[in-house]
Amino acid sequence: MSETGKRIEPFSALLYNREVAGEPARVVAPPYDLIGAARQNQLYERSPYNIVRLELGREPDRYAVAEKTLADWLGARVLVRAPRPAIYQYTQSFDVEGRLLHRTGFIARVRLEEFSSRRIVPHERTFPAAKEDRLSLLTALQMNTSSIFALYSSAHSELDRLREKVASREPLIDLVDDLGIRNELRVIDAPEEIGIIQRELESPRLLIADGHHRYETALNYRRARRHENASSNPEPYDYTMMTLVGCNDPGLVILPTHRVVKTLDRGAIAAFPERAREIFKVEEIAHRDEFRARLERAGSGAIGVTLRNSPTYFILRLRSRTALKAAMPDAPAPVRRLDVSVVHALIFDRIFGLKADEIQRGNNIEYTIETGGALGAVAQGRADGAFLMNPPSIEDVERVSDAGATMPEKSTYFHPKLLTGLVMNPLFDADAK
């Protein structure tokens, strides 16, 4: 870290050593919250050095095991320090409905700031259990194994020129992941190029797109370390690893996050059509494919619902915003405009009696971007209901953030997710472990 402790810093990354660990495609993983038991086992079998063994171990005492695994890997040079501090340019190339898109960000160490500063801001609420898990892991490893995804506002022509220049270089890593997404990592270690990124991103607000739990965990970890050892100088724990992407990036894609509810009150299910008509215009559709197509065409403001043993699918549209304002009197207008607010306040709470604290516990609701999977869970009897939405826009997300508010949990899904294991940010000195 430089002596000045700038907002954006290069870092002495830990990288996989190909001579020991093999090809990068064998050791990377998706984000921890997308890894179920079957996927976890698959990643374990793929390589003895897959990052899942640190990020989401399957052992009973997984934090202690992860700490020992990291020490073993450092000793065996599975993971090695980059030759010099750097920022990394990360490009993902992917297909959306037949269009090839590219999204590019800068992976850097970013100085932590409390949300009250309004310079780094969230857009979603978080789950307490997930933060406890991430704090236990960060305390054990003293390392950021995965990157927070953040968006910076406004146009930056100098950064655009730098991205184009760096894109012409040979990548350090170039792999295609299990979803067919190409992931390229390039090194930026020239002081003048690092300086461009530092200058351009010193002032803009950073909006957390993905990684809210990890950011709040980093803040909690910093508080604990400062309590143990107060220092007036910037310390490694004052920073966290982020991938910084422009809000105007042409590859910025948000997918809808549907709600699949395992258990709903039987009486509420039976009364749903009648109760829904009190506040919604209700359209009933017999055929699944027609339902999906009409929901997509309807766009923002339309909510799709399917319930156990119901012969029809439902598309709901609010009759008036008055009901939502009455249900959320203290919420800013940008929050009340969200489809996900309609689902949580008027459908979950008012019709089915699902309260916010139950949703926070996270045991009864699953979240998915797969429309077919959500509908299938109900059709196959694995869930009582699925509630489908169209995605919010980046402008919706920014308006909520500008209002100093947050969306309900899992309101957005920025696609594609950042891979875990391309590069890691140690919070310890090179000779400390």
Side-chain angles (χ1 to χ4, degrees):
M1 185 184 304
S2 69
E3 294 180 0
T4 56
K6 294 183 182 295
R7 184 192 199 192
I8 309 295
E9 289 281 351
F11 60 105
S12 298
L14 278 174
L15 301 163
Y16 274 104
N17 180 359
R18 293 190 194 207
E19 293 181 2
V20 180
E23 287 301 308
R26 297 184 57 79
V27 295
V28 296
Y32 74 96
D33 56 350
L34 297 183
I35 300 175
R39 188 80 171 106
Q40 184 185 50
N41 290 334
Q42 180 188 47
L43 294 168
Y44 261 76
E45 293 167 6
R46 180 170 292 175
S47 169
Y49 306 121
N50 191 281
I51 192 65
V52 74
R53 295 170 185 263
L54 300 182
E55 182 77 348
L56 192 70
R58 62 187 179 187
E59 296 79 12
D61 189 3
R62 59 192 181 90
Y63 308 116
V65 171
E67 183 178 9
K68 182 180 185 303
T69 299
L70 175 59
D72 292 344
W73 286 3
L74 291 171
R77 292 185 57 78
V78 175
L79 297 175
V80 294
R81 287 271 183 170
R84 62 188 64 85
I87 291 173
Y88 296 86
Q89 181 161 301
Y90 181 19
T91 299
Q92 293 176 286
S93 303
F94 55 101
D95 180 271
V96 174
E97 298 178 347
R99 295 180 298 135
L100 180 62
L101 300 178
H102 309 277
R103 190 184 69 199
T104 299
F106 299 109
I107 305 178
R109 185 150 54 175
V110 179
R111 189 174 61 233
L112 292 163
E113 299 185 58
E114 298 289 343
F115 291 144
S116 58
S117 74
R118 301 299 300 157
R119 280 166 47 83
I120 297 178
V121 294
H123 80 271
E124 286 183 342
R125 294 194 287 271
T126 53
F127 296 104
K131 287 184 285 188
E132 293 171 9
D133 163 61
R134 292 298 95 183
L135 182 58
S136 296
L137 184 67
L138 182 56
T139 302
L141 297 181
Q142 299 178 54
M143 181 172 74
N144 303 138
T145 47
S146 57
S147 177
I148 294 162
F149 178 11
L151 303 172
Y152 56 85
S153 54
S154 70
H156 297 268
S157 57
E158 273 203 88
L159 291 182
D160 295 340
R161 286 191 291 271
L162 178 61
R163 270 195 300 271
E164 291 180 12
K165 178 182 176 182
V166 175
S168 65
R169 297 173 186 164
E170 190 72 18
L172 176 68
I173 296 174
D174 187 353
L175 68 88
V176 176
D177 63 27
D178 293 341
L179 298 178
I181 297 163
R182 185 179 182 185
N183 297 263
E184 299 171 88
L185 197 72
R186 292 176 170 86
V187 179
I188 302 173
D189 56 12
E192 63 274 14
E193 293 179 344
I194 291 172
I196 291 171
I197 299 171
Q198 290 177 318
R199 288 193 305 274
E200 291 292 307
L201 297 183
E202 173 61 32
S203 299
R205 184 188 65 180
L206 301 180
L207 171 66
I208 298 174
D210 207 359
H212 291 79
H213 296 94
R214 283 168 286 161
Y215 189 84
E216 291 186 34
T217 293
L219 290 174
N220 290 333
Y221 182 73
R222 181 181 69 168
R223 293 185 193 107
R225 293 297 302 273
R226 283 180 170 178
H227 181 73
E228 295 171 0
N229 179 29
S231 173
S232 58
N233 297 318
E235 298 291 341
Y237 55 74
D238 290 314
Y239 287 74
T240 194
M241 184 168 63
M242 285 190 177
T243 299
L244 306 172
V245 176
C247 281
N248 60 347
D249 190 291
L252 198 59
V253 174
I254 304 178
L255 300 180
T257 307
H258 309 306
R259 273 70 173 142
V260 178
V261 184
K262 299 174 188 175
T263 304
L264 291 167
D265 180 81
R266 291 291 181 267
I269 291 176
F272 176 77
E274 180 182 352
R275 292 290 310 280
R277 284 187 173 86
E278 294 173 4
I279 46 179
F280 295 99
K281 298 174 183 176
V282 179
E283 182 181 3
E284 296 191 44
I285 300 169
H287 301 291
R288 173 170 164 163
D289 290 345
E290 182 185 358
F291 164 72
R292 292 183 62 169
R294 289 172 75 164
L295 179 63
E296 184 175 347
R297 285 198 306 269
S300 177
I303 310 296
V305 179
T306 179
L307 298 170
R308 183 189 289 270
N309 298 326
S310 174
T312 60
Y313 301 92
F314 304 92
I315 293 180
L316 313 182
R317 295 176 180 82
L318 270 179
R319 293 182 180 277
S320 166
R321 290 277 163 182
T322 304
L324 193 56
K325 189 171 183 179
M328 305 176 69
D330 299 325
V335 175
R336 292 200 302 268
R337 281 199 289 264
L338 300 170
D339 290 351
V340 68
S341 295
V342 175
V343 171
H344 280 242
L346 296 182
I347 300 178
F348 283 175
D349 190 320
R350 179 165 168 172
I351 296 179
F352 288 105
L354 285 176
K355 302 300 180 182
D357 57 346
E358 181 181 350
I359 294 170
Q360 273 272 319
R361 287 195 294 271
N363 299 321
N364 193 30
I365 298 181
E366 295 179 350
Y367 303 88
T368 180
I369 61 171
E370 301 293 339
T371 302
L375 296 176
V378 178
Q380 296 160 21
R382 292 183 283 109
D384 280 351
F387 303 84
L388 280 56
M389 293 166 281
N390 287 295
S393 67
I394 185 59
E395 291 77 18
D396 290 330
V397 176
E398 289 186 295
R399 280 193 289 265
V400 170
S401 180
D402 288 341
T406 53
M407 297 177 168
E409 308 83 351
K410 300 293 183 182
S411 293
T412 56
Y413 187 105
F414 286 86
H415 176 76
K417 296 291 187 179
L418 307 176
L419 279 184
T420 298
L422 292 174
V423 60
M424 286 149 273
N425 173 38
L427 305 182
F428 51 84
D429 294 331
D431 56 354
K433 287 201 176 190

